[in-house]
């Protein structure tokens, strides 16, 4: 584009789609070369992976409508999200996936066309192979895939010749396949842009498309991480400062002579032992994904009231409807105590205070184990014993070792 600028008349206005990319040098070169005219940028995620602010290019941020509002108007597909809930396995270090992905696909996504976001090239190829061996039609696309293979994957999903495309580092943005109605997350991400853009691959509407199912096996949608893709966000033109890294030296211990050395060392400086690089893979643990928003009358819930007010506790479900939940306020907030209001499913979640009260009322080991199982914990027996141990410590009745043994 830069090489052709001298052959084109200068514009009065430049419209930039996916304008969170506009601070890149290639965009800035074009903008500067034509005299910096008026700019109109369009994006669903006004934030960058490198944390640079769009204030470098734009002067004002105008929020038009939310993803949820577009969904209510029928311009985007409705979303059903399944995640691990309060599974304790996700609190462990490393890459953990809760539940078998293929089993969940068979149960929730039969007859759908989906995309799976994987950790690596090898992982994407393994997922595609697993689907093919199960009788589905799948292929992997990644950085080493040819242009023909990438085009074939898109054509296959559009035509229905493919059930799943497993991706590695691709298809987060820039892919338009409205027929996608299932998204599988098999890799963790801390990037809000990646999360929203990836989920957005399945939000476009298409003839005969009922809704989008998101199977989040790795917990990206947890409230303390990136949350539900439909939750309203606070956006800003200003960037975010990167977190300062710990300045302490990272070390590792030689398994042969127990000498400490830099974690970057390939050989032990004392005995010459060669360190083996351990490649991180995705570890799958037993568990079941639960549908976010699956509630029943009488449940205590939290409700979302926008970016300014956030989540509010002290509500109770009084009616379940096809497109919304009717909740009653148990305490005056933006509505008076005793009043009811309709809330979309995406803005209602089980009360965390209620979960604590449920745990507090459990008196026996069996009752606690049952709670642990409903929360998809990796080891509900061990958790239950530690809860009893903590209670006994507070009461002074016995020591932890006596309870946990």
């Amino acid at each position: 584009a830069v090489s052709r600028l001298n052959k084109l008349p200068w514009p009065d206005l430049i419209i930039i789609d996916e304008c969170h990319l506009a601070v890149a040098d290639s965009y800035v070169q074009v903008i500067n070369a034509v005299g910096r005219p008026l700019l109109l940028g369009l994006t669903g995620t006004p934030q960058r992976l490198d944390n640079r602010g769009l204030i470098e290019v734009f002067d004002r941020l105008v929020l038009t409508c939310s993803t949820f509002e577009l969904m209510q108007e029928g311009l985007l597909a409705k979303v059903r999200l399944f995640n691990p809930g309060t599974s304790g396995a996700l609190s462990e270090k490393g890459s953990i996936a809760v539940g078998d992905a293929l089993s969940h696909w068979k149960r929730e996504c039969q007859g759908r066309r989906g995309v799976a976001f994987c950790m690596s090239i090898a992982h994407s190829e393994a997922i595609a192979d697993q689907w093919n061996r199960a009788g589905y039609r799948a292929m992997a696309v990644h950085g080493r895939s040819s242009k023909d293979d990438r085009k074939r994957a898109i054509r296959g999903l559009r035509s229905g010749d493919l059930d799943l495309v497993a991706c590695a580092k691709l298809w987060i943005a820039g892919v338009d396949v409205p027929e996608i109605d299932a998204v599988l997350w098999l890799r963790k991400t801390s990037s809000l842009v990646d999360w929203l853009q990836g989920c957005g691959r399945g939000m476009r509407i298409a003839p005969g498309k009922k809704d989008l199912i998101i199977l989040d096996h790795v917990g990206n949608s947890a409230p303390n991480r990136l949350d539900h893709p439909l939750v309203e966000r606070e956006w800003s033109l200003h960037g975010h400062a990167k977190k300062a890294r710990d300045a302490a030296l990272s070390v590792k211990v030689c398994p042969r002579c127990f000498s400490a050395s830099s974690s970057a060392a390939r050989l032990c400086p004392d005995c010459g032992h060669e360190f083996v690089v351990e490649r991180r893979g995705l570890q799958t643990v037993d568990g079941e994904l639960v549908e976010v928003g699956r509630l029943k009358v009488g449940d205590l819930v939290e409700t979302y009231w926008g970016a300014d007010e956030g989540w509010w506790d002290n509500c109770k479900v009084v009616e379940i409807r096809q497109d919304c939940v009717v909740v009653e306020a148990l305490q005056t907030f933006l509505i008076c105590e005793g009043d009811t209001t309709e809330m979309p499913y995406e803005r209602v979640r089980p009360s965390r205070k209620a979960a604590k009260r449920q745990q507090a009322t459990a008196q026996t080991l069996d009752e606690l184990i049952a709670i642990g199982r409903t929360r998809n914990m990796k080891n509900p027996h061990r958790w239950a014993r530690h809860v009893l141990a903590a209670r006994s410590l507070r009461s002074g009745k016995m020591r932890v070792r006596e309870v946990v043994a």
Side-chain angles (χ1 to χ4, degrees):
V2 176
S3 62
R4 299 196 304 271
L5 286 177
N6 57 354
K7 301 177 183 179
L8 300 173
W10 281 14
D12 298 317
L13 170 69
I14 295 179
I15 301 176
I16 305 175
D17 192 22
E18 302 292 353
C19 69
H20 53 278
L21 306 174
V23 301
D25 291 341
S26 56
Y27 284 77
V28 174
Q29 279 183 324
V30 174
I31 294 169
N32 290 337
V34 295
R36 296 190 63 83
L38 289 174
L39 301 178
L40 173 62
L42 307 171
T43 181
T45 51
Q47 184 173 311
R48 288 177 55 84
L49 298 177
D50 60 6
N51 294 316
R52 289 174 64 182
L54 301 188
I55 194 69
E56 297 179 25
V57 175
F58 299 99
D59 301 313
R60 184 180 303 172
L61 177 64
V62 180
L63 301 176
T64 54
C65 54
S66 67
T67 302
F68 178 77
E69 290 168 337
L70 293 174
M71 195 173 296
Q72 292 295 95
E73 294 179 15
L75 300 175
L76 291 177
K78 291 186 178 297
V79 174
R80 294 174 61 197
L81 171 66
F82 293 76
N83 69 15
T86 56
S87 174
L90 294 178
S91 63
E92 299 181 6
K93 292 184 178 180
S95 298
I96 304 292
V98 175
D100 178 65
L102 181 58
S103 298
H104 281 80
W105 173 275
K106 290 178 179 179
R107 185 169 64 246
E108 306 294 348
C109 301
Q110 194 72 26
R112 292 179 179 258
R113 301 175 228 181
V115 54
F117 294 110
C118 305
M119 293 182 60
S120 63
I121 292 176
H123 186 210
S124 66
E125 292 176 342
I127 291 296
D129 181 62
Q130 183 184 13
W131 255 246
N132 286 323
R133 285 187 283 107
Y136 295 102
R137 301 158 299 171
M139 67 177 293
V141 294
H142 43 70
R144 297 178 188 169
S145 299
S146 65
K147 290 183 178 180
D148 288 341
D149 283 344
R150 299 184 191 194
K151 292 179 180 178
R152 182 163 65 89
I154 292 175
R155 288 197 306 268
L157 285 177
R158 285 176 176 167
S159 65
D161 292 335
L162 286 175
D163 300 306
L164 182 79
V165 172
C167 301
K169 304 292 186 181
L170 292 177
W171 284 31
I172 288 295
V175 173
D176 183 12
V177 185
E179 292 78 9
I180 293 174
D181 54 0
V183 173
L184 280 70
W185 281 94
L186 299 174
R187 72 171 179 89
K188 282 186 178 180
T189 178
S190 57
S191 166
L192 180 60
V193 175
D194 273 7
W195 168 240
L196 295 181
Q197 291 280 355
C199 293
R201 296 315 94 205
M203 288 187 185
R204 293 177 183 265
I205 56 176
K209 181 174 177 177
K210 180 182 177 182
D211 53 28
L212 165 67
I213 287 182
I214 301 174
L215 299 180
D216 175 22
H217 287 271
V218 292
N220 290 327
S221 57
N224 60 343
R225 296 192 65 203
L226 301 175
D227 217 328
H228 199 293
L230 301 187
V231 168
E232 292 183 18
R233 319 279 173 169
E234 280 194 51
W235 300 109
S236 171
L237 287 178
H238 298 278
H240 301 279
K242 292 186 177 180
K243 294 181 180 179
R245 293 185 179 271
D246 191 352
L249 179 65
S250 178
V251 298
K252 58 186 174 184
V253 177
C254 175
R256 180 186 296 173
C257 69
F258 304 105
S259 173
S261 59
S262 169
S263 59
R266 296 184 178 182
L267 299 175
C268 174
D270 293 322
C271 70
H273 172 74
E274 183 177 358
F275 294 108
V276 177
V277 178
E278 295 182 2
R279 297 188 178 276
R280 293 183 300 173
L282 187 68
Q283 179 187 355
T284 300
V285 299
D286 292 338
E288 295 291 328
L289 302 188
V290 294
E291 184 171 359
V292 176
R294 178 167 290 180
L295 304 165
K296 62 182 184 295
V297 173
D299 282 353
L300 298 178
V301 294
E302 299 175 8
T303 50
Y304 186 76
W305 295 81
D308 291 335
E309 303 295 343
W311 289 92
W312 179 53
D313 208 340
N314 290 316
C315 287
K316 180 176 69 174
V317 176
V318 295
E319 186 180 351
I320 302 290
R321 297 179 183 173
Q322 184 175 359
D323 58 348
C324 68
V325 181
V326 181
V327 299
E328 176 187 345
L330 302 179
Q331 181 180 335
T332 299
F333 180 54
L334 295 180
I335 59 175
C336 295
E337 181 180 350
D339 286 355
T340 61
T341 186
E342 298 177 354
M343 298 292 291
Y345 279 95
E346 295 79 12
R347 301 191 183 192
V348 181
R349 69 187 184 193
S351 170
R352 284 173 286 185
K353 289 183 180 178
K356 291 181 179 178
R357 287 194 290 269
Q358 180 191 32
Q359 179 177 324
T361 57
Q363 298 299 318
T364 67
L365 181 64
D366 289 340
E367 289 175 348
L368 285 168
I369 290 173
I371 292 174
R373 285 173 175 161
T374 62
R375 298 179 182 179
N376 292 318
M377 291 184 175
K378 184 179 180 181
N379 193 333
H381 295 78
R382 182 180 178 185
W383 170 79
R385 290 196 299 269
H386 275 281
V387 171
L388 288 180
R391 291 179 181 176
S392 297
L393 271 179
R394 288 195 296 269
S395 64
K397 291 182 179 178
M398 61 181 70
R399 295 172 299 173
V400 174
R401 188 173 298 173
E402 295 173 349
V403 178
V404 177

